Amino acid sequence: MKNPRNPKLQVDIGGLALKNPVMTASGTFGYGEEYSRYIDLNRLGAIIVKGVSLERREGNPPQRIMETPCGMLNSIGLENVGVRSFIDDKIPFLKKFNVPVIVNIFGETAPEYRKVAEILSDVEGVHGLEVNISCPNVEKGGVAFGADPDMAYEITRDVKSVTDLPVIVKLTPNITDIAEIAESVESGGADAISLINTLKGMSVDIEKRVPHLKNITGGLSGPAVKPVALRMVWEVVNRVSVPVIGVGGIMDAADAVEFLIVGARAVQVGTANFVNPRATMDILEGIEDYLIDHDISDINELIGMLKKG
Amino acid sequence: MKNPRNPKLQVDIGGLALKNPVMTASGTFGYGEEYSRYIDLNRLGAIIVKGVSLERREGNPPQRIMETPCGMLNSIGLENVGVRSFIDDKIPFLKKFNVPVIVNIFGETAPEYRKVAEILSDVEGVHGLEVNISCPNVEKGGVAFGADPDMAYEITRDVKSVTDLPVIVKLTPNITDIAEIAESVESGGADAISLINTLKGMSVDIEKRVPHLKNITGGLSGPAVKPVALRMVWEVVNRVSVPVIGVGGIMDAADAVEFLIVGARAVQVGTANFVNPRATMDILEGIEDYLIDHDISDINELIGMLKKG
Amino acid sequence: MLHKNSMMSGRIISNREIAKDHFLMSLKVSSAESSFQEASPGQFVMLRVKGRKFPFLGRPLSIYSIYPDDGGFIVELLYRVVGEGTYVISRLKPDEEMYIMGPLGRGFDISPDHSCVILIAGGIGIAPLSFLCEHYRRCAAGRPQKIICYAGVQRSNLLVGLERMEEICSGVRISTDDGSRGYHGLVTELFKNDLSSYGHRDSIIYACGPSAMLKGLAGILKDQSVSCQVSVEERMACGVGACLGCAVRVKSGYKRVCRDGPVFDIHEIVWD
Amino acid sequence: MLHKNSMMSGRIISNREIAKDHFLMSLKVSSAESSFQEASPGQFVMLRVKGRKFPFLGRPLSIYSIYPDDGGFIVELLYRVVGEGTYVISRLKPDEEMYIMGPLGRGFDISPDHSCVILIAGGIGIAPLSFLCEHYRRCAAGRPQKIICYAGVQRSNLLVGLERMEEICSGVRISTDDGSRGYHGLVTELFKNDLSSYGHRDSIIYACGPSAMLKGLAGILKDQSVSCQVSVEERMACGVGACLGCAVRVKSGYKRVCRDGPVFDIHEIVWD
Ligand SMILES: Cc1cc2nc3c(=O)[nH]c(=O)nc-3n(C[C@H](O)[C@H](O)[C@H](O)COP(=O)(O)OP(=O)(O)OC[C@H]3O[C@@H](n4cnc5c(N)ncnc54)[C@H](O)[C@@H]3O)c2cc1C
Ligand SMILES: Cc1cc2nc3c(=O)[nH]c(=O)nc-3n(C[C@H](O)[C@H](O)[C@H](O)COP(=O)(O)OP(=O)(O)OC[C@H]3O[C@@H](n4cnc5c(N)ncnc54)[C@H](O)[C@@H]3O)c2cc1C
Ligand SMILES: Cc1cc2nc3c(=O)[nH]c(=O)nc-3n(C[C@H](O)[C@H](O)[C@H](O)COP(=O)(O)O)c2cc1C
Ligand SMILES: Cc1cc2nc3c(=O)[nH]c(=O)nc-3n(C[C@H](O)[C@H](O)[C@H](O)COP(=O)(O)O)c2cc1C
Ligand code: FES
Ligand code: FES
């Protein structure tokens, strides 16, 4: 029986059952702890933590961020503590919560991706992997893999071969044909696809005549990129059958609902956390209200319901 | 002798001497007439008119535009009167002004590009061509050519072979490697390169569950895309030696100066015209003020002066 | 010739909610040489808030009223909050500075040949028609013998902008969707019932309202010889005819609402 | 434990220009259970304007003053307009609603062990140091014997936030770049001249100002044993330690200004 007062929010992402479709985007939510005083982490669909690599990475020199019109550039450069410290220092805190933890992984080489995946596969408290082949802020790896269908296929297959965890592959928007890469990673065995990572951008200090970012270029995120993200999700859902997770400029529930209607099975909230630390909760509650107002008893009835006008 | 009170603004774009670097972007300034009551067209560096094709095109059905965060989507679909009517009905008005007129041309096939270029080459009052291989809103031609280095090379070469007018080729940002295409059109003989055209995007009406645009997707322009445009100009100026014209999200003089510092020889003002019909004049005056304030007597001393921080 | 003043600053004098979600804004435009001198009914302005980055594009609003004031003009706009842009505008307080571009577009074609003028307004569509009424009052010379106004709204408490109508018109007929005042039903039906009583040669209809209403009206008038001009709406970017964003389908292809309209002959438009 | 109230609404009580480009804003935060109860000197807030899309990211501002008021708190911020964000904030009028997140970061480490406290402020760096002074006044018990304040500005008419300093400190030494008041030159030079007169073991220095000033200070103190804590600045996105945007180079790599700082031991930072 329909009970629109209490709509079902569960979604399934490549075998991982989420209590709702609202996740945090990698790199925008630290390791969960940073936002735990603002929201109840148990209410999240999943937490995707900051990208983790085999060894500790220092990241890029500052200035690392710059505000742009309705968005921001970042060039963090995947600063992280390395997979061992992550397991020792960050997982114990996350395990206290009843929320799936998805680890965003990164490598400079294909074997490095595989190694990180392998190490994490045996760790209690890790529920899934998100393979970042789309970071624009590192010299090696990252977007170089994500822009090449063959490399994207291989890394996906390699990671899949060493883990039983659900594997999400995260795509870059800095590409001519996103659906082509999506098909490659699907045939490589990806259980789900997330998109988009940041658009490569730049900004200049006209007084000093230097780039604002020390790294010269950075990744653009925030509401400015939402139309691009939504279009890419649309192109990808039309070409693959694995679940797609929408990311990019989601600031409120209306934005999230746009992605769901277009066909995203879940969404990730990134830059919005910076602007409003309760963004994920506001979005979750807003999605619920939308379902109630529109008499939809199960969120899966909304997903992919775009009419073509 | 330096006269910073009256800086030189002249720039040379592939043999076309412009009195200043501020042009209007194609499709955002009609055929000049529409803005002639707001600004003195004679003061513009150049006018680039709405894209012209061999035959009249009706364009896409409405809704054709949608506001997005710090930007807009359009799917005009290259509505235009066709090259003959353009010459008969639009050129006479433009000829009354002392301003170079650059005609943005478009074709569904390579021969069509060549034909339009050929026809326009003999027309008095046409001072240059901008070859649009980057429109995201048409089924055939447009971005399909702009995303393929070989096609881009061929169309450029074809157009060059039938005209003595300076030929600017306009690139699409919906691409993995913008510098690669830039090199192709340079070797095809382009006299200058302009970028960027719009980023392909989408937006959804969550009440009706239809795309806002009847054409489903559209082109994103406005300040939201500026960081992407600036980054692409940077990548291209580092790889080609022909002049580059910066377009994308330029709203004020500070934005224009960013593009010049990065290495653009001139700029085009697009969406800003909609928001402020005097935008081009405000930008021109602002650039002049910047040069005066910074004791720069010739704008060419500013172009490409980015330090790497 | 150059009208620097076509893009003007206006200062908000007042911005009041006069019915649920319906606001009346008065703006003071300071220059007397402004293009507003020639504003005619059916024309509109593009409105933006100075110094705010949102709404990004201007919002088109019909001129509701305009009169000279102390070396400048007062421009009045009657608008309904339907989305974020109009919401932001509705929250503005007196003294806020606005950009106001206008008057724009081709307004109603006011011919002195018709002795009977019929106005049909759906909801906020009353705004330009009320200005048209005011126009007739001002040029008393050319005032038609009879002006009849039909105004349809959802509920009686959403009836706005009728004061002038009531003063000037020979008759004002109201319809409400919920029957809370006047005719219970659509304003087009109410009008249709009266249609036969008008002389088609002597009468002219001016209509403005939601496109469903105008489409309905087009259906009613399909085989009738009476003239009818409608003011239509479409999303706009430039407001001046440059972007081709505001296309409306007409028999010959597309036209620009902002420049070729917003007023069109009802039979020219392809209602689909 | 969940502090819903760490992200709060504040209402502007006043927002006055107290010197050219320097503003003092008072905000009323209504909830008494808010996290502001525990605010300590050197901590900051992230400030945004409600309902405006620009500035997009919050702007970090040090707490200048805070006191309970009628079941809530008054938070005072002293800021200088340096770019578009602070300009927009400076134009806000009383009653405007703000988002205010805080208090954030690790403030000054206030040890009762030092009998002599030296404050060195460059420009708007006075803000957190003035709050620190106020802190000493409030906890009279732990007040050090001697508090000396050095304040450097470009011109004498840019001296702000000194009132409390003058009441509380044993001495206030001023420097101006143009010599219009006090010592003619840099505040670090002024301090350097006095340095030998302080007992290094008994003294502690708290400093805030432009990074060039802090770097200069680091040079002066390089071979000295005196403790020195500095509050540094970096562009921020999240303000809570999640984005890694506000990196500052320290001997062991990078640290986050917003979470690990903004106050650091001067010798921990790599000044380049
Ligand atoms: C020539 C003209 C004159 C107008 N005069 C008036 C007037 O006097 N009073 C008044 O209240 N409104 C008038 N409108 C409509 C008004 O422009 C829109 O309601 C307004 O732009 C909506 O902006 P928003 O940001 O609040 O809505 P959005 O959030 O952008 O959209 C909300 C809803 O409004 C519709 N809408 C948005 N923009 C337009 C538009 N330009 N035309 C039609 N529908 C739109 C959308 O499709 C959507 O359903 C006029 C429109 C035109 C074209
Ligand atoms: C912990 C902390 C506490 C601060 N406390 C105060 C305070 O009490 N009073 C005060 O006036 N200012 C303070 N600042 C600085 C203040 O945050 C910046 O001046 C402000 O963010 C500039 O915003 P804008 O949009 O006006 O400038 P923009 O246009 O963004 O930039 C203008 C200039 O300011 C610099 N700038 C911008 N943001 C920062 C930043 N976060 N840190 C340092 N420099 C920046 C830019 O590099 C540029 O040179 C503090 C900064 C931090 C990190
Ligand atoms: C500061 C910052 C750091 C990020 N770090 C990572 C990362 O480590 N791994 C990754 O896959 N994506 C990273 N991203 C990308 C985001 O996860 C997200 O894909 C992107 O920001 C677009 O979403 P948004 O607009 O909601 O922020 C980062 C983004 C930002 C802004
Ligand atoms: C409404 C509209 C119509 C456009 N039409 C054309 C066109 O006909 N040919 C073309 O090359 N570019 C066209 N463009 C792209 C612009 O010229 C410009 O490249 C783009 O909008 C980015 O610049 P902006 O952000 O300053 O608008 C159009 C853009 C808009 C917004
Ligand atoms: S709004 Fe640009 S042509 Fe009408
Ligand atoms: S501002 Fe995000 S980590 Fe400091």
Side-chain angles (χ1 to χ4, degrees):
Chain A
M1 250 235 34
K2 256 194 162 187
N3 180 1
R5 293 277 110 216
N6 202 0
K8 278 202 188 144
L9 293 169
Q10 291 89 332
V11 295
D12 179 285
I13 299 291
L16 196 61
L18 307 186
K19 54 177 149 331
N20 68 63
V22 181
M23 318 179 168
T24 60
S26 177
T28 66
F29 205 72
Y31 300 107
E33 184 272 334
E34 291 79 0
Y35 282 103
S36 60
R37 60 181 301 197
Y38 297 99
I39 62 167
D40 177 359
L41 302 184
N42 293 306
R43 291 182 63 199
L44 288 167
I47 291 177
I48 306 190
V49 297
K50 174 72 189 161
V52 172
S53 52
L54 191 56
E55 306 299 335
R56 162 175 181 274
R57 289 177 64 97
E58 242 194 10
N60 291 326
Q63 178 172 343
R64 290 182 175 181
I65 44 182
M66 182 62 199
E67 180 164 329
T68 65
C70 294
M72 61 175 281
L73 289 169
N74 88 78
S75 67
I76 309 301
L78 281 167
E79 173 177 341
N80 80 92
V81 294
V83 65
R84 307 274 176 199
S85 300
F86 167 75
I87 293 167
D88 294 346
D89 301 341
K90 307 297 179 184
I91 284 288
F93 175 82
L94 288 166
K95 274 207 313 212
K96 290 193 269 178
F97 298 88
N98 176 25
V99 59
V101 172
I102 296 171
V103 184
N104 182 275
I105 64 170
F106 168 80
E108 290 193 357
T109 61
E112 201 179 319
Y113 276 101
R114 203 168 46 220
K115 186 85 195 149
V116 180
E118 211 170 346
I119 295 171
L120 286 165
S121 294
D122 298 328
V123 177
E124 203 201 307
V126 174
H127 304 87
L129 300 178
E130 182 178 58
V131 186
N132 175 5
I133 52 168
S134 44
C135 182
N137 297 322
V138 289
E139 274 186 34
K140 283 178 267 178
V143 87
F145 297 143
D148 177 337
D150 297 334
M151 287 298 293
Y153 168 85
E154 271 174 44
I155 288 179
T156 308
R157 201 199 42 194
D158 280 13
V159 168
K160 274 298 286 184
S161 73
V162 296
T163 187
D164 292 329
L165 292 171
V167 171
I168 303 165
V169 180
K170 186 164 177 184
L171 306 186
T172 174
N174 301 295
I175 199 166
T176 308
D177 186 352
I178 187 98
E180 185 190 13
I181 298 282
E183 284 177 341
S184 293
V185 306
E186 180 177 48
S187 57
D191 300 299
I193 293 172
S194 55
L195 66 153
I196 58 173
N197 209 314
T198 52
L199 273 163
K200 202 169 164 192
M202 181 172 175
S203 149
V204 169
D205 182 329
I206 65 170
E207 293 305 322
K208 304 200 188 109
R209 290 179 212 149
V210 295
H212 278 117
L213 301 181
K214 192 76 175 176
N215 191 44
I216 304 183
T217 61
L220 182 64
S221 64
V225 310
K226 193 189 68 171
V228 175
L230 200 65
R231 182 264 299 181
M232 289 190 163
V233 168
W234 168 243
E235 287 177 352
V236 169
V237 295
N238 287 328
R239 291 266 286 275
V240 301
S241 50
V242 294
V244 170
I245 304 167
V247 204
I250 297 177
M251 301 303 284
D252 58 27
D255 294 334
V257 169
E258 281 190 75
F259 279 88
L260 296 170
I261 290 174
V262 155
R265 187 86 58 95
V267 294
Q268 295 178 11
V269 178
T271 303
N273 294 304
F274 305 158
V275 168
N276 169 12
R278 288 185 41 80
T280 46
M281 294 299 108
D282 291 348
I283 289 168
L284 176 57
E285 289 161 16
I287 292 175
E288 215 164 340
D289 288 344
Y290 178 92
L291 295 174
I292 293 169
D293 290 350
H294 293 78
D295 245 338
I296 299 173
S297 57
D298 183 335
I299 196 163
N300 292 289
E301 291 164 25
L302 178 68
I303 292 165
M305 291 322 263
L306 188 76
K307 293 169 254 175
K308 297 198 192 161
Chain B
M1 250 230 40
K2 256 191 162 187
N3 180 1
R5 292 277 112 215
N6 203 358
K8 280 204 189 137
L9 293 169
Q10 291 87 333
V11 294
D12 178 284
I13 300 292
L16 196 62
L18 307 186
K19 54 179 152 322
N20 67 63
V22 181
M23 319 179 168
T24 61
S26 177
T28 66
F29 205 71
Y31 300 107
E33 185 272 331
E34 292 80 357
Y35 282 102
S36 60
R37 60 180 302 195
Y38 298 99
I39 62 167
D40 177 1
L41 302 184
N42 294 304
R43 293 183 61 201
L44 289 167
I47 290 178
I48 306 190
V49 298
K50 174 70 190 165
V52 172
S53 51
L54 191 56
E55 305 299 337
R56 161 176 182 276
R57 289 176 64 98
E58 242 194 12
N60 291 326
Q63 177 173 344
R64 289 180 175 183
I65 44 181
M66 182 62 200
E67 180 164 329
T68 65
C70 294
M72 61 175 280
L73 288 169
N74 87 78
S75 66
I76 310 300
L78 281 167
E79 172 176 341
N80 79 92
V81 294
V83 67
R84 307 274 176 199
S85 301
F86 167 74
I87 294 167
D88 294 346
D89 302 340
K90 308 297 180 184
I91 285 287
F93 174 81
L94 288 166
K95 276 209 311 214
K96 290 192 269 178
F97 298 88
N98 176 24
V99 59
V101 172
I102 296 172
V103 184
N104 182 275
I105 64 170
F106 169 80
E108 291 194 355
T109 60
E112 200 177 321
Y113 276 102
R114 202 169 46 219
K115 187 82 197 151
V116 181
E118 213 170 346
I119 295 171
L120 286 165
S121 295
D122 299 327
V123 176
E124 203 202 308
V126 174
H127 303 87
L129 300 178
E130 182 178 58
V131 185
N132 174 5
I133 53 167
S134 44
C135 181
N137 297 322
V138 289
E139 273 186 34
K140 283 178 265 175
V143 87
F145 296 142
D148 177 339
D150 297 333
M151 287 298 293
Y153 168 84
E154 272 174 43
I155 288 179
T156 309
R157 201 199 43 194
D158 281 12
V159 168
K160 275 296 286 181
S161 74
V162 296
T163 187
D164 292 328
L165 292 171
V167 171
I168 304 165
V169 180
K170 184 163 178 185
L171 306 185
T172 173
N174 301 295
I175 201 167
T176 308
D177 187 353
I178 188 96
E180 184 190 15
I181 298 281
E183 284 176 341
S184 294
V185 305
E186 180 178 49
S187 57
D191 300 297
I193 293 172
S194 56
L195 66 154
I196 57 174
N197 209 314
T198 53
L199 272 162
K200 202 169 165 190
M202 181 173 174
S203 149
V204 169
D205 181 330
I206 65 170
E207 293 306 320
K208 304 198 188 113
R209 287 176 213 152
V210 294
H212 278 117
L213 300 183
K214 192 75 176 180
N215 191 45
I216 305 183
T217 61
L220 183 65
S221 64
V225 310
K226 192 189 68 170
V228 175
L230 200 64
R231 181 266 297 182
M232 290 191 161
V233 167
W234 169 244
E235 288 178 351
V236 169
V237 295
N238 286 327
R239 290 267 285 276
V240 302
S241 51
V242 294
V244 170
I245 304 167
V247 205
I250 297 176
M251 300 303 283
D252 57 27
D255 294 334
V257 168
E258 282 190 74
F259 279 87
L260 297 171
I261 290 174
V262 156
R265 187 86 59 92
V267 295
Q268 295 177 10
V269 178
T271 302
N273 293 304
F274 305 158
V275 168
N276 169 13
R278 290 185 40 80
T280 45
M281 294 299 110
D282 292 348
I283 289 168
L284 177 56
E285 289 161 16
I287 292 175
E288 215 164 341
D289 289 344
Y290 178 91
L291 295 175
I292 293 169
D293 291 349
H294 294 77
D295 245 336
I296 300 173
S297 58
D298 183 335
I299 195 163
N300 291 288
E301 291 164 25
L302 179 68
I303 292 166
M305 292 321 265
L306 188 77
K307 293 168 256 174
K308 299 199 190 160
Chain C
M1 113 229 67
L2 215 66
H3 292 258
K4 273 218 178 182
N5 293 330
S6 305
M7 174 75 177
M8 306 210 57
S9 291
R11 201 168 37 79
I12 296 181
I13 303 293
S14 69
N15 190 22
R16 290 180 301 115
E17 185 159 15
I18 57 171
K20 184 169 183 331
D21 291 337
H22 289 65
F23 288 74
L24 183 64
M25 178 185 283
S26 283
L27 282 158
K28 172 74 191 250
V29 176
S30 288
S31 163
E33 307 97 81
S34 92
S35 45
F36 283 111
Q37 248 167 337
E38 304 129 36
S40 71
Q43 286 192 298
F44 65 99
V45 299
M46 291 290 274
L47 195 69
R48 280 200 317 129
V49 196
K50 241 190 206 176
R52 296 235 188 158
K53 308 221 166 173
F54 178 84
F56 175 61
L57 299 171
R59 292 295 186 268
L61 294 175
S62 301
I63 298 172
Y64 175 64
S65 203
I66 189 161
Y67 45 91
D69 173 90
D70 193 19
F73 289 91
I74 299 286
V75 180
E76 291 189 332
L77 307 170
L78 181 68
Y79 63 97
R80 191 163 79 92
V81 172
V82 299
E84 270 203 274
T86 43
Y87 174 75
V88 168
I89 292 171
S90 75
R91 302 296 307 243
L92 300 173
K93 305 232 165 73
D95 279 343
E96 189 97 27
E97 294 281 328
M98 308 292 286
Y99 284 116
I100 173 164
M101 204 176 149
L104 299 168
R106 265 188 51 237
F108 296 108
D109 200 351
I110 303 167
S111 82
D113 302 349
H114 298 96
S115 57
C116 173
V117 168
I118 301 161
L119 310 175
I120 308 179
I124 198 73
I126 197 86
L129 298 176
S130 175
F131 183 29
L132 178 58
C133 240
E134 177 67 23
H135 172 88
Y136 284 124
R137 168 151 68 185
R138 288 194 214 167
C139 16
R143 189 157 166 181
Q145 284 175 353
K146 206 159 106 181
I147 310 178
I148 308 286
C149 168
Y150 293 85
V153 290
Q154 288 180 292
R155 291 185 309 281
S156 61
N157 59 354
L158 300 178
L159 277 165
V160 294
L162 277 185
E163 302 74 11
R164 280 193 297 201
M165 297 297 208
E166 274 158 356
E167 282 170 45
I168 301 164
C169 297
S170 333
V172 175
R173 317 258 157 98
I174 309 278
S175 77
T176 52
D177 295 356
D178 69 351
S180 50
R181 185 163 153 200
Y183 178 80
H184 186 167
L186 299 177
V187 68
T188 43
E189 292 166 7
L190 174 61
F191 162 72
K192 189 180 176 186
N193 298 339
D194 293 353
L195 177 54
S196 57
S197 68
Y198 297 112
H200 284 197
R201 193 90 62 85
D202 313 334
S203 301
I204 183 161
I205 301 169
Y206 298 105
C208 183
S211 62
M213 171 196 128
L214 299 179
K215 185 180 170 180
L217 186 62
I220 292 169
L221 297 178
K222 200 161 53 154
D223 303 314
Q224 313 282 330
S225 58
V226 61
S227 306
C228 177
Q229 293 175 30
V230 294
S231 175
V232 302
E233 294 188 358
E234 193 44 70
R235 291 233 180 214
M236 293 187 177
C238 71
V240 300
C243 73
L244 310 182
C246 60
V248 58
R249 189 168 259 312
V250 295
K251 299 212 164 111
S252 60
Y254 290 112
K255 283 199 169 176
R256 300 164 302 180
V257 171
C258 69
R259 183 82 180 231
D260 306 316
V263 174
F264 293 91
D265 184 308
I266 196 167
H267 300 300
E268 188 186 358
I269 290 178
V270 178
W271 303 96
D272 50 16
Chain D
M1 119 226 62
L2 214 65
H3 292 258
K4 273 218 179 185
N5 293 330
S6 306
M7 174 75 179
M8 303 209 58
S9 291
R11 198 166 39 79
I12 296 182
I13 302 294
S14 68
N15 190 23
R16 289 180 301 116
E17 186 160 15
I18 56 170
K20 188 173 179 331
D21 292 336
H22 288 65
F23 288 75
L24 182 64
M25 178 184 281
S26 282
L27 281 158
K28 172 73 191 255
V29 176
S30 288
S31 163
E33 308 99 77
S34 89
S35 43
F36 283 110
Q37 247 165 338
E38 304 129 36
S40 70
Q43 287 192 299
F44 65 99
V45 299
M46 291 290 275
L47 195 67
R48 279 199 316 129
V49 196
K50 242 190 205 173
R52 297 234 189 158
K53 308 221 165 172
F54 177 84
F56 175 60
L57 299 171
R59 292 295 186 268
L61 294 174
S62 301
I63 298 172
Y64 174 65
S65 200
I66 190 162
Y67 46 88
D69 173 89
D70 193 19
F73 289 90
I74 300 286
V75 180
E76 290 190 333
L77 307 169
L78 181 68
Y79 63 99
R80 191 162 78 91
V81 172
V82 299
E84 268 203 276
T86 43
Y87 174 76
V88 168
I89 291 171
S90 76
R91 302 296 309 244
L92 299 174
K93 306 232 165 74
D95 279 343
E96 190 97 28
E97 295 280 328
M98 308 292 286
Y99 284 115
I100 173 167
M101 205 174 146
L104 299 169
R106 264 188 54 237
F108 295 108
D109 200 350
I110 303 165
S111 82
D113 300 348
H114 299 95
S115 57
C116 173
V117 168
I118 301 161
L119 310 175
I120 308 178
I124 198 72
I126 195 85
L129 298 177
S130 176
F131 183 29
L132 177 58
C133 239
E134 177 67 24
H135 172 89
Y136 284 125
R137 168 149 70 184
R138 288 196 214 167
C139 14
R143 191 159 166 178
Q145 282 174 356
K146 207 159 104 182
I147 310 177
I148 308 285
C149 168
Y150 294 84
V153 289
Q154 289 180 291
R155 290 185 310 280
S156 64
N157 60 353
L158 299 180
L159 277 166
V160 295
L162 277 184
E163 301 74 12
R164 279 193 298 200
M165 297 295 209
E166 274 159 353
E167 281 171 44
I168 302 166
C169 297
S170 332
V172 175
R173 318 257 156 95
I174 309 279
S175 76
T176 51
D177 294 357
D178 69 350
S180 51
R181 185 162 155 202
Y183 177 80
H184 186 169
L186 298 177
V187 67
T188 42
E189 292 165 7
L190 173 60
F191 161 73
K192 190 181 176 185
N193 297 341
D194 294 353
L195 177 54
S196 58
S197 68
Y198 296 113
H200 283 197
R201 192 90 62 84
D202 311 335
S203 301
I204 183 159
I205 301 169
Y206 298 106
C208 184
S211 61
M213 171 197 129
L214 299 179
K215 185 181 171 179
L217 186 61
I220 292 169
L221 296 178
K222 199 160 55 147
D223 303 314
Q224 312 282 330
S225 59
V226 63
S227 306
C228 178
Q229 294 176 29
V230 292
S231 176
V232 301
E233 294 189 358
E234 192 44 68
R235 291 234 179 212
M236 292 187 178
C238 72
V240 301
C243 74
L244 309 182
C246 60
V248 58
R249 189 168 259 312
V250 295
K251 299 212 163 112
S252 60
Y254 289 112
K255 282 199 170 176
R256 301 164 299 181
V257 170
C258 70
R259 182 80 180 232
D260 306 316
V263 174
F264 293 90
D265 185 309
I266 197 168
H267 300 300
E268 188 185 359
I269 290 178
V270 178
W271 303 96
D272 50 16

